[in-house]
Amino acid sequence: MKCRVCGKPASLSLRAYNTALCADDFIAFLEKRVLQTIRRYKLINTGERPLVAVSGGKDSLALWTILNRLGFAADGMYIDLGIAEYSQTSYLKARAMADELNRRLFRFSIPKVFGKEVAELSRITRRPPCSLCGTVKRYAMNRVCVTEGYSVLLTGHNLDDEASALLGNILYWKEEYLWKKDVVLEGQGSSLAKKAKPFFLCSEREVAAYALLKGIDYVYEECPYAVGARTLVYKNVLNQIEEMSPATKIMFLKGYLKRLRSEPKREQATSCIACGYPTYTEKCNFCSLMDRVGGDQRFAVDTYDPAETRMEPGETRPDNHA
Amino acid sequence: MTTLSVLCYLIRMKVEWDGRSYDIEKRMTGRKLLESFNLSREAHLIVANGKLTTEDQTLNTTDTVRIIRVISGG
Ligand code: SF4
Ligand SMILES: [Zn+2]
Ligand SMILES: [Zn+2]
């Protein structure tokens, strides 16, 4: 196959677009697509400061890279789940990217707040690790946005993540979640940051190819709790359909966005009586968790700033044996 | 058998997939390779001799190939 733009041998076939591109033209294509998504759905407006949720995986590191290449001065935010080797490795990858982009990286640490890692919290509260992780992530990301003055939180959710979640919500008619998966979710005053997903229309394969071609060093292993997730089954099913009829996933999501615009707006949240962040109950999930298991938030967040860590000549960073 | 044909017989495509290494005797397209491992084209990328390649490309027995899974469950 030849690159449709320059005629050189192609590196990637894009069947959903009925085309094939060489490495350089694919990189340009994906970056343009992200910029179009940002503009078309107003993910980042002029004057809005973006923060990227960074896990150390391919999606978030690719997103962080693209945003900076497109001229958005985006800093990063990492959540430390305290999962021995996995958290250590993924944080180092995130930090290496902070160095490369010369951007700040905030870290919210679950073990520092609770003195326990996710598995132990899960045992105590009898809640699945992913559900706890979700509660803490939502709170922590929003907290850093609000206290550090970022107006929009960007996540690396891609086309496959969104299409599989949508399929799951439809299969079991989870109507309480069904209409909450927009490409952009507006914030609420100064207590809730806006959230957006610039990879909403980019497939996981495209994002992985971008990461590979840009030489992005990401954690290939997954969070141990992701293993056996239903998401994988949905993604596989969707990809089988995609092989039969290319562009099905993107049409599925575009159709969703169209229908979403005609749905009535959801109810407004009230403020948590403890922390003031939006919630649909009296106290937000995070504050209820703090009540239940106890915790100390004084050292919850630390900041890594490449500009502040200038090294002496000949000094090497004591990291990354991975 | 000449030395050359013995050599040809010994040369096999090296394929790295899911932390394991495989030797493949025949040349074939990337598409066929993925099929032989029962893998979806939508969920995998093929890197031959360090370069990302399209699935219609023929992979030779002298090539070193890496199959990369792109789908994660998080
Ligand atoms: S898989 Fe890991 S990172 Fe993802 S939600 Fe579950 S615990 Fe959190
Ligand atoms: Zn080209
Ligand atoms: Zn609260």
Side-chain angles (χ1 to χ4, degrees), chain A residues 81 118 129-130 133-134 137 223 225-226, chain B residues 74:
Chain A
L81 305 174
V118 170
C130 293
C133 174
K137 267 185 193 164
C223 169
Y225 301 115

Side-chain angles (χ1 to χ4, degrees), chain A residues 3-9 21-26:
Chain A
C3 170
R4 178 183 258 182
V5 179
C6 71
K8 282 195 287 191
L21 294 170
C22 71
D24 288 346
D25 286 313
F26 170 70

Side-chain angles (χ1 to χ4, degrees), chain A residues 105-219:
Chain A
L105 178 66
F106 298 94
R107 169 171 58 176
F108 183 97
S109 163
I110 291 186
K112 273 192 193 148
V113 173
F114 297 102
K116 305 166 178 64
E117 60 127 315
V118 170
E120 221 178 318
L121 286 179
S122 163
R123 249 192 321 275
I124 300 168
T125 57
R126 301 209 184 133
R127 280 175 61 188
C130 293
S131 146
L132 281 169
C133 174
T135 294
V136 176
K137 267 185 193 164
R138 265 189 302 279
Y139 168 83
M141 305 271 180
N142 188 52
R143 174 176 143 166
V144 169
C145 283
V146 168
T147 56
E148 304 289 333
Y150 294 91
S151 28
V152 50
L153 176 73
L154 301 165
T155 57
H157 291 102
N158 58 48
L159 177 64
D160 295 59
D161 293 328
E162 296 303 305
S164 58
L166 179 56
L167 180 63
N169 287 340
I170 293 176
L171 280 179
Y172 297 97
W173 290 111
K174 294 188 189 163
E175 295 196 56
E176 69 275 30
Y177 303 121
L178 187 56
W179 299 112
K180 290 183 181 170
K181 308 287 281 177
D182 205 344
V183 56
V184 54
L185 298 165
E186 287 306 326
Q188 209 172 300
S190 59
S191 64
L192 181 69
K194 172 178 164 182
K195 286 198 199 101
K197 305 162 191 163
F199 282 156
F200 198 87
L201 299 175
C202 303
S203 75
E204 193 149 4
R205 180 169 171 271
E206 287 158 22
V207 177
Y210 182 90
L212 190 84
L213 292 170
K214 291 299 267 176
I216 293 173
D217 182 21
Y218 62 87
V219 248

Side-chain angles (χ1 to χ4, degrees), chain A:
Chain A
M1 264 182 247
K2 298 238 182 300
C3 170
R4 178 183 258 182
V5 179
C6 71
K8 282 195 287 191
S11 291
L12 192 70
S13 62
L14 298 165
R15 298 202 310 145
Y17 300 95
N18 196 18
T19 196
L21 294 170
C22 71
D24 288 346
D25 286 313
F26 170 70
I27 288 169
F29 162 87
L30 200 79
E31 290 178 350
K32 192 170 150 207
R33 188 137 187 89
V34 170
L35 187 61
Q36 281 169 344
T37 308
I38 291 174
R39 296 261 183 270
R40 163 137 200 234
Y41 299 101
K42 302 187 168 52
L43 306 193
I44 310 171
N45 296 318
T46 335
E48 285 183 334
R49 274 183 85 203
L51 184 71
V52 182
V54 180
S55 69
K58 64 179 187 317
D59 302 289
S60 58
L61 292 183
L63 178 60
W64 204 6
T65 303
I66 292 189
L67 289 169
N68 279 281
R69 279 172 59 89
L70 290 174
F72 297 100
D75 288 325
M77 159 86 191
Y78 175 86
I79 308 267
D80 180 2
L81 305 174
I83 303 171
E85 223 175 288
Y86 170 76
S87 293
Q88 180 73 10
T89 315
S90 52
Y91 178 64
L92 289 177
K93 305 266 183 203
R95 215 174 66 177
M97 185 55 84
D99 282 331
E100 200 177 316
L101 301 173
N102 200 16
R103 286 279 154 213
R104 280 185 175 184
L105 178 66
F106 298 94
R107 169 171 58 176
F108 183 97
S109 163
I110 291 186
K112 273 192 193 148
V113 173
F114 297 102
K116 305 166 178 64
E117 60 127 315
V118 170
E120 221 178 318
L121 286 179
S122 163
R123 249 192 321 275
I124 300 168
T125 57
R126 301 209 184 133
R127 280 175 61 188
C130 293
S131 146
L132 281 169
C133 174
T135 294
V136 176
K137 267 185 193 164
R138 265 189 302 279
Y139 168 83
M141 305 271 180
N142 188 52
R143 174 176 143 166
V144 169
C145 283
V146 168
T147 56
E148 304 289 333
Y150 294 91
S151 28
V152 50
L153 176 73
L154 301 165
T155 57
H157 291 102
N158 58 48
L159 177 64
D160 295 59
D161 293 328
E162 296 303 305
S164 58
L166 179 56
L167 180 63
N169 287 340
I170 293 176
L171 280 179
Y172 297 97
W173 290 111
K174 294 188 189 163
E175 295 196 56
E176 69 275 30
Y177 303 121
L178 187 56
W179 299 112
K180 290 183 181 170
K181 308 287 281 177
D182 205 344
V183 56
V184 54
L185 298 165
E186 287 306 326
Q188 209 172 300
S190 59
S191 64
L192 181 69
K194 172 178 164 182
K195 286 198 199 101
K197 305 162 191 163
F199 282 156
F200 198 87
L201 299 175
C202 303
S203 75
E204 193 149 4
R205 180 169 171 271
E206 287 158 22
V207 177
Y210 182 90
L212 190 84
L213 292 170
K214 291 299 267 176
I216 293 173
D217 182 21
Y218 62 87
V219 248
Y220 193 67
E221 306 83 54
E222 291 207 56
C223 169
Y225 301 115
V227 177
R230 243 180 228 210
T231 315
L232 275 179
V233 179
Y234 297 153
K235 284 184 176 178
N236 287 338
V237 168
L238 285 165
N239 279 334
Q240 275 175 29
I241 303 172
E242 182 80 19
E243 281 210 35
M244 272 172 1
S245 4
T248 298
K249 287 185 290 189
I250 207 157
M251 274 156 42
F252 187 37
L253 282 196
K254 281 191 167 168
Y256 170 73
L257 285 183
K258 210 165 130 194
R259 280 159 185 78
L260 186 60
R261 300 286 177 259
S262 54
E263 276 292 302
K265 283 265 174 276
R266 62 194 166 119
E267 51 171 327
Q268 282 266 311
T270 54
S271 299
C272 164
I273 53 165
C275 72
Y277 291 172
T279 171
Y280 294 96
T281 46
E282 198 181 26
K283 247 186 198 182
C284 75
N285 278 331
F286 181 83
C287 290
S288 310
L289 181 66
M290 287 285 282
D291 287 351
R292 172 100 195 260
V293 296
D296 181 352
Q297 281 210 65
R298 273 175 303 167
F299 307 106
V301 181
D302 64 48
T303 313
Y304 175 72
D305 191 341
E308 282 169 13
T309 40
R310 297 234 157 68
M311 291 181 298
E312 296 302 315
E315 190 189 352
T316 53
R317 283 190 204 285
D319 62 25
N320 220 343
H321 307 284

